[in-house]
Amino acid sequence: MHKGDGYLADPALLPAVPVGLRRVLDLVVSGEATSRAEIARRSGLARSTVGQQVDHLVGRGILQELESSESVRGRPPRVLTLSPRAGTIAVADVDLLASQVAIADLTGRVLAQEPVDVRIDAGPEAVLEAVTERLLNLLERCGRDPDRVREVVMGLPCPVDFQRGSAVRPTGMPGWDGYAVAEQLSKRFRAPAVVDNDANLMALGEARQDQVDTPLLCIKIATGIGAGIITESGEVYRGADGAAGDVGHIRAVGGGDVLCACGNVGCVGALASHRAILRGLGIPESTDEDPLYGAHALAERIADNDPPAVRALRQAATEIGEVVAMLVYMFNPRTLVLGGPLSELRDDLLSGVRAVVYQRSLPLATRKLTITTTQFGENSAIHGGIALALQHIFSEQGIARMLVDEVGEG
Ligand SMILES: [Zn+2]
């Protein structure tokens, strides 16, 4: 068993992908066509061209052609799908208190998912070790060849230099600043690896759902407050330096002199994040037995209508609403999603934010705006990581890489 080093190839040296092959692959991946005849009909390509490209893709282990069980008059039709041998995607959503890993196939279907018990403040080496071990376990359990991981994606709860694949001056994450996370992951899995901000991945995961309109703005309210922006065409908007969406340090209306971890005072993240609410109520964030103790305890108090807890949540909603109203002016999103542990608490947060946004924003910006909470809950960053990986794998460069890769025995 050996795998090609297509992932190491200089992009400039990769062969051009034939237009016909691209079209055939797109139709099968999107599920629009499942047979040679259908591909020919939909693409307008000659049957011989379709046959040639299908044979090539089957030969490379990217597509498979199976006999369908539903026989229509005589010969059973042969059905084209992505081959399980085409590879897998490995995703890790690393958060301060709770982390998750998952593997998915190239149709984006999650094959297995598990929490990883490692603290982010243990440093990048320990976290990468734990995440890698768990991902390799999942691959083995699902019978997937670790040498055929096509892309690794890791989400981190801090500003990320997307090009370099490392965290940039994160707070509460000793050892992570500038550490070459993507490079290390790429070495371990012998595959391209990317690192992204957790709110970006959450936003991508939400935008990937059916019937969700873009542009989309996703606000993650957790230890801090961050935002992910998805453009109309479904891409993450990162800004000039990758810092777009780092909204937790915008000054809150009622910010006063509350000190933020960034050194400034009055940041909305220091006032209205999940962590800030827990601190205000004297609830510990985590205990030895339960890393998410704070989230559970707050949820209980809100469910019991505990007045101080409900009041704290409503106040936070108002502060967040003020910042979000400003962002709605700026970006004019079609969908606004609230995520993180607070968004799962009854409707107080959602209705509080809605009230301020509708009151503050102009009718033109809110007429068609949907304000909602996450559909995927705590899994949205995993789904976003899968979406990001698929964008790369089925890009021109990604397909070229798959084509130059050796076909393994697996
Ligand atoms: Zn700050």
Side-chain angles (χ1 to χ4, degrees):
M1 179 182 67
H2 52 218
K3 176 192 157 172
D5 285 333
Y7 82 99
L8 291 171
D10 180 347
L13 300 178
L14 286 169
V17 176
V19 179
L21 183 139
R22 174 93 212 227
R23 191 80 185 99
V24 168
L25 192 56
D26 281 348
L27 284 168
V28 176
V29 168
S30 67
E32 285 172 67
T34 55
S35 71
R36 293 176 187 235
E38 221 173 340
I39 293 171
R41 205 165 46 237
R42 293 210 173 229
S43 65
L45 294 167
R47 278 196 163 230
S48 56
T49 311
V50 171
Q52 212 178 14
Q53 302 303 353
V54 167
D55 287 343
H56 188 48
L57 287 163
V58 170
R60 303 307 287 175
I62 297 168
L63 295 185
Q64 66 180 5
E65 199 170 30
L66 302 171
E67 292 207 339
S68 163
S69 50
E70 305 153 32
S71 169
V72 194
R73 274 180 281 130
R75 223 161 43 133
R78 294 165 69 78
V79 176
L80 279 166
T81 54
L82 270 169
S83 164
R85 283 172 61 207
T88 39
I89 297 163
V91 184
D93 173 30
V94 176
D95 210 342
L96 285 155
L97 302 171
S99 301
Q100 307 252 7
V101 292
I103 56 168
D105 65 18
L106 298 196
T107 66
R109 186 169 58 106
V110 174
L111 300 172
Q113 183 174 342
E114 256 183 15
V116 184
D117 190 16
V118 62
R119 288 186 61 99
I120 208 165
D121 57 13
E125 274 116 21
V127 170
L128 286 179
E129 195 63 45
V131 161
T132 305
E133 194 200 317
R134 192 56 60 91
L135 281 169
L136 291 174
N137 261 328
L138 291 185
L139 286 165
E140 196 187 333
R141 212 192 302 155
C142 296
R144 295 291 181 137
D145 184 350
D147 277 346
R148 294 189 84 75
V149 170
R150 291 287 175 197
E151 178 118 355
V152 188
V153 179
M154 182 182 272
L156 289 176
C158 62
V160 164
D161 183 331
F162 187 72
Q163 297 307 326
R164 297 177 58 183
S166 54
V168 182
R169 300 189 61 184
T171 44
M173 293 169 55
W176 286 86
D177 185 25
Y179 185 88
V181 178
E183 196 187 309
Q184 286 299 321
L185 284 170
S186 190
K187 269 189 198 153
R188 284 164 199 240
F189 288 90
R190 295 167 54 79
V194 289
V195 180
D196 208 340
N197 168 263
D198 58 347
N200 284 349
L201 291 185
M202 183 177 253
L204 255 183
E206 294 295 324
R208 194 180 166 219
Q209 299 226 84
D210 291 341
Q211 283 140 25
V212 168
D213 291 327
T214 50
L216 175 145
L217 179 65
C218 177
I219 312 286
K220 180 176 178 183
I221 308 146
T223 311
I225 295 179
I229 305 156
I230 306 298
T231 63
E232 195 159 2
S233 60
E235 310 272 326
V236 175
Y237 177 76
R238 300 178 191 283
D241 302 301
D246 201 4
V247 298
H249 303 287
I250 292 178
R251 194 175 166 84
V253 174
D257 54 5
V258 177
L259 186 64
C260 177
C262 74
N264 285 326
V265 292
C267 299
V268 68
L271 200 74
S273 63
H274 187 244
R275 173 175 274 181
I277 293 177
L278 293 180
R279 195 174 286 159
L281 293 170
I283 302 173
E285 200 165 36
S286 57
T287 61
D288 286 342
E289 296 80 48
D290 183 2
L292 296 176
Y293 175 82
H296 297 145
L298 179 61
E300 243 169 64
R301 285 177 65 169
I302 296 286
D304 289 346
N305 271 321
D306 172 58
V310 172
R311 183 178 153 78
L313 183 62
R314 287 192 183 143
Q315 270 176 343
T318 304
E319 292 297 348
I320 294 165
E322 293 282 350
V323 170
V324 169
M326 203 159 66
L327 299 174
V328 166
Y329 266 123
M330 187 77 200
F331 295 107
N332 187 200
R334 188 61 87 228
T335 307
L336 173 69
V337 181
L338 303 176
L342 279 189
S343 69
E344 284 156 32
L345 303 178
R346 291 200 320 197
D347 284 336
D348 294 67
L349 180 81
L350 188 60
S351 56
V353 169
R354 266 193 190 136
V356 182
V357 170
Y358 285 132
Q359 185 200 340
R360 291 275 179 188
S361 308
L362 284 173
L364 181 61
T366 52
R367 200 173 48 195
K368 292 184 188 161
L369 175 67
T370 303
I371 305 180
T372 179
T373 49
T374 64
Q375 306 288 305
F376 282 129
E378 58 180 11
N379 294 326
S380 50
I382 290 285
H383 287 276
I386 295 169
L388 185 64
L390 288 173
Q391 279 178 9
H392 292 166
I393 292 167
F394 292 109
S395 68
E396 189 77 12
Q397 234 179 65
I399 296 171
R401 267 198 212 108
M402 275 204 268
L403 292 172
V404 299
D405 246 353
E406 287 281 325
V407 185
E409 300 298 311

